[in-house]
Amino acid sequence: MVIDAPPARSVFRHRLSTRLWHWVNVVALVTLLMSGLMIFNAHPRLYWGQYGANADSAWLEIGSTGTEGYLKIGDRRWDTSGVLGYWKDGQGNVGRGAFPGWATIPSTYNLAMARRWHLTFAWVFAFGLLFFMIRSLWNGHIRKDLAIGRTDIRPAAIGRDIMDHLKLRFHHGDARFNILQKFSYVGVIFILLPLMILTGLTMSPGLNAAWPWLLDLFGGRQSARSIHFIVAGLLVGFIIVHLALVLLSGPVNGIRSMITGWFRLPAEKAQ
Amino acid sequence: MSAILTRRRLITGAALGAGGLLAGCDKLGENEGFRKILFSADAMNRHAQRLLTDREALAREFDQSDLSPFFRGNGSQNPQDPNYQAHAAANFSDWRVAIDGLVSRPETLSMAQIRSMPQRTQITRHDCVEGWSAIGKWTGVPLKMLLDQAGLRDGARYIVFHCADDSGGGTQYYESIDLIDAFHPQTIMAWALNDAVLPIRNGAPLRLRVERHLGYKHAKYVQRIEAVASLDGIGLGKGGFWEDRAGYEWYAGI
């Protein structure tokens, strides 16, 4: 570490509403994901259309033959022993659930409890998103920081931003989001997260009766279930990239700024 | 500061933390107070749906061309009780359904009497709590007709269905619904599936169809319909076999 550098300057980067929402989401999304995987384990097959059960053809299936686990998508089949369909828990016991115990809540098969976790934290997640959206409209976060402007969609600018990311060159100087950040945050906040809520609601038989347009919007309850699963996968992808970039761009500074709001600028930039 | 926290340490720490969290989640799920919080979402879901939606809304009805090629069974698919087996061997010709509890005119109906009443046929989607769905064509007598005939007495709040299948531990299956669902036009006691007599795996000779709810609400092999003021005296008090045994939600509209 350079000791005799001039003291670093800090910029205020994250509002309280953003920080609160971020950490509420850490808890809610992890819980929803892991309890969701347990719910999936109860019927590890996905279909398109209004109906779908064991006798119907699934476009995705995770299963076990007894000595190996497999994942089937369409006509393709992969041996996933050790991870999906056939795995061992911490004590060395064989599990044949689709997703292994370390990835699910609860860790052993329990659909009823998984639903309790899922349907409780769905409220936390949905109200969190609502609160964040209203607050961010109100305080201008959406308009000032997230809105994608004309300058953002110039191919040259996008290309430069992609190159910067590939070279792991992070612009810490200003508090603004770069173009790829904007695209991914807008995509997650305004497309993926609302899609999770809507496809989740479409699986409720009670709401199907009251709001049948949900079924038409997604092409049926089983299609909604498939989309719910796919979008959950996309969110996991987002979180992995997000965490990787936090690690690569200075995890302590990044995490601190999401707690206190203040981001410490590199010393040379502070001059 | 960043020199102290290496990437390897961060990743190891995160993995350990995740493992601890997971064990913690299992512990939390067994904690009395936390379970209360988790289980309170059931009432929240029920109230929210009742607040935001029309409780009289009809479940979507489909066309003949939408039927599932095969309507699978689940739970009990062939009750082993000798009494039930004897009825099955006799094509349920002597099957009786009692309607009692808080009613003015308790009665016992034969399948012939039930089939001679006005019928409703509906093609609806069945959603199992496990995640699968099947579309079937159901024919049966509206539960409302049976309840009106028996005459609900003041104080009746729920309808309980007592079934013939031993679902585990010597306990016969039971389920319950409220009066809004009981008197809903699509709530029928079905004896036919896809224009044929109800197969045993789907609940022969008589089962409940309470559309807008998950499959475990749709009691099969029904032999008694009871009107009650409270669910406290039914099973372990939560209103249904799976509610009592495994902690499933009584409100199964979600």
Side-chain angles (χ1 to χ4, degrees):
Chain A
M1 291 255 82
V2 188
I3 295 158
D4 54 356
R9 192 170 63 91
S10 291
V11 288
F12 187 71
R13 207 158 74 157
H14 301 297
R15 292 174 180 82
L16 179 64
S17 53
T18 304
R19 285 177 276 143
L20 266 178
W21 186 56
H22 175 271
W23 294 111
V24 166
N25 268 347
V26 169
V27 176
L29 286 182
V30 167
T31 306
L32 282 166
L33 173 74
M34 295 174 69
S35 56
L37 294 182
M38 174 52 77
I39 295 173
F40 175 87
N41 277 5
H43 188 74
R45 298 162 57 86
L46 294 173
Y47 315 88
W48 294 115
Q50 305 285 347
Y51 66 81
N54 301 59
D56 308 307
S57 76
W59 69 266
L60 181 146
E61 180 185 357
I62 298 174
S64 165
T65 58
T67 53
E68 64 160 17
Y70 64 85
L71 163 69
K72 252 166 76 174
I73 299 179
D75 296 331
R76 301 200 57 186
R77 188 178 188 279
W78 294 269
D79 184 342
T80 55
S81 304
V83 188
L84 303 175
Y86 187 94
W87 39 271
K88 289 197 172 110
D89 68 9
Q91 276 81 50
N93 304 313
V94 168
R96 292 193 174 81
F99 286 98
W102 57 260
T104 61
I105 295 177
S107 61
T108 51
Y109 184 80
N110 191 333
L111 174 59
M113 280 308 289
R115 280 173 54 83
R116 297 284 184 173
W117 279 96
H118 204 76
L119 298 177
T120 301
F121 278 84
W123 281 106
V124 177
F125 162 66
F127 273 114
L129 181 63
L130 185 70
F131 156 82
F132 173 77
M133 281 192 170
I134 291 173
R135 187 75 192 113
S136 301
L137 261 179
W138 189 257
N139 67 19
H141 185 35
I142 291 175
R143 182 173 42 83
K144 284 185 272 187
D145 307 317
L146 290 171
I148 294 169
R150 199 169 297 164
T151 49
D152 292 326
I153 52 171
R154 282 199 322 260
I158 295 174
R160 195 180 327 119
D161 202 34
I162 290 174
M163 287 313 292
D164 282 349
H165 274 84
L166 290 177
K167 291 176 188 159
L168 302 181
R169 194 189 294 148
F170 301 104
H171 299 280
H172 291 307
D174 54 83
R176 310 197 69 84
F177 290 136
N178 61 55
I179 299 163
L180 292 191
Q181 266 179 317
K182 271 193 189 180
F183 280 140
S184 42
Y185 288 140
V186 165
V188 165
I189 295 168
F190 296 100
I191 298 172
L192 298 189
L193 296 184
L195 262 180
M196 284 314 276
I197 294 176
L198 288 174
T199 51
L201 294 177
T202 309
M203 284 185 268
S204 151
L207 285 182
N208 280 178
W211 302 337
W213 54 267
L214 282 171
L215 286 172
D216 299 325
L217 184 63
F218 295 112
R221 180 178 192 258
Q222 289 301 322
S223 291
R225 185 168 175 263
S226 288
I227 297 168
H228 199 71
F229 185 86
I230 292 169
V231 175
L234 293 176
L235 286 174
V236 170
F238 165 78
I239 291 167
I240 290 172
V241 172
H242 172 69
L243 290 179
L245 288 173
V246 168
L247 285 178
L248 291 170
S249 65
V252 174
N253 204 8
I255 293 169
R256 182 178 45 217
S257 76
M258 196 41 91
I259 295 172
T260 66
W262 291 93
F263 186 82
R264 213 170 278 185
L265 291 179
E268 69 275 17
K269 289 263 181 171
Q271 292 297 4
Chain B
M1 188 143 184
S2 57
I4 299 163
L5 190 76
T6 64
R7 199 161 295 162
R8 180 189 298 264
R9 273 201 194 174
L10 196 74
I11 291 168
T12 325
L16 284 175
L21 268 181
L22 192 54
C25 283
D26 284 351
K27 283 235 166 62
L28 265 180
E30 288 156 15
N31 174 285
E32 194 72 30
F34 192 76
R35 268 176 91 92
K36 272 217 176 93
I37 298 174
L38 283 187
F39 279 52
S40 66
D42 181 15
M44 207 161 154
N45 291 324
R46 181 169 79 242
H47 292 311
Q49 286 205 4
R50 289 181 179 180
L51 189 71
L52 296 174
T53 66
D54 174 11
R55 281 245 52 213
E56 299 297 322
L58 296 176
R60 169 162 290 184
E61 297 199 10
F62 294 88
D63 293 328
Q64 190 81 21
S65 58
D66 300 319
L67 289 177
S68 290
F70 176 76
F71 201 108
R72 67 166 282 194
N74 205 23
S76 301
Q77 301 202 45
N78 189 8
Q80 289 307 303
D81 169 53
N83 197 26
Y84 179 86
Q85 288 290 330
H87 277 295
N91 285 325
F92 303 103
S93 52
D94 290 327
W95 188 267
R96 295 286 186 277
V97 179
I99 300 167
D100 56 19
L102 290 175
V103 295
S104 312
R105 298 173 290 279
E107 57 184 341
T108 303
L109 297 171
S110 69
M111 287 307 298
Q113 283 173 303
I114 286 173
R115 287 197 199 95
S116 70
M117 294 177 75
Q119 304 296 320
R120 185 176 207 281
T121 294
Q122 60 202 30
I123 299 179
T124 52
R125 197 192 63 224
H126 178 90
D127 302 318
C128 179
V129 66
E130 292 167 358
W132 54 269
S133 305
I135 295 178
K137 180 182 188 181
W138 305 95
T139 300
V141 57
L143 180 59
K144 177 188 190 312
M145 312 225 45
L146 298 178
L147 296 178
D148 283 345
Q149 192 170 296
L152 283 191
R153 285 183 9 216
D154 290 350
R157 294 272 314 278
Y158 301 97
I159 305 298
V160 181
F161 301 86
H162 300 274
C163 307
D165 56 318
D166 174 353
S167 291
T171 306
Q172 290 177 313
Y173 200 80
Y174 52 97
E175 255 303 344
S176 61
I177 59 177
D178 65 16
L179 294 186
I180 298 175
D181 279 320
F183 283 88
H184 187 270
Q186 287 173 320
T187 300
I188 62 174
M189 298 308 298
W191 49 269
L193 169 60
N194 295 339
D195 298 316
V197 170
L198 193 59
I200 286 180
R201 70 164 185 278
N202 300 115
L206 195 67
R207 76 171 297 170
L208 170 67
R209 291 301 312 168
V210 53
E211 313 300 345
R212 313 188 297 170
H213 283 277
L214 295 173
Y216 61 88
K217 280 301 212 195
H218 301 231
K220 303 195 284 190
Y221 319 108
V222 172
Q223 53 185 3
R224 181 175 167 218
I225 299 170
E226 182 191 12
V228 297
S230 148
L231 298 175
D232 291 344
I234 307 300
L236 302 177
K238 298 207 176 79
F241 181 85
W242 288 117
E243 290 89 326
D244 282 335
R245 290 308 161 97
Y248 283 98
E249 298 91 347
W250 181 79
Y251 179 71
I254 185 161

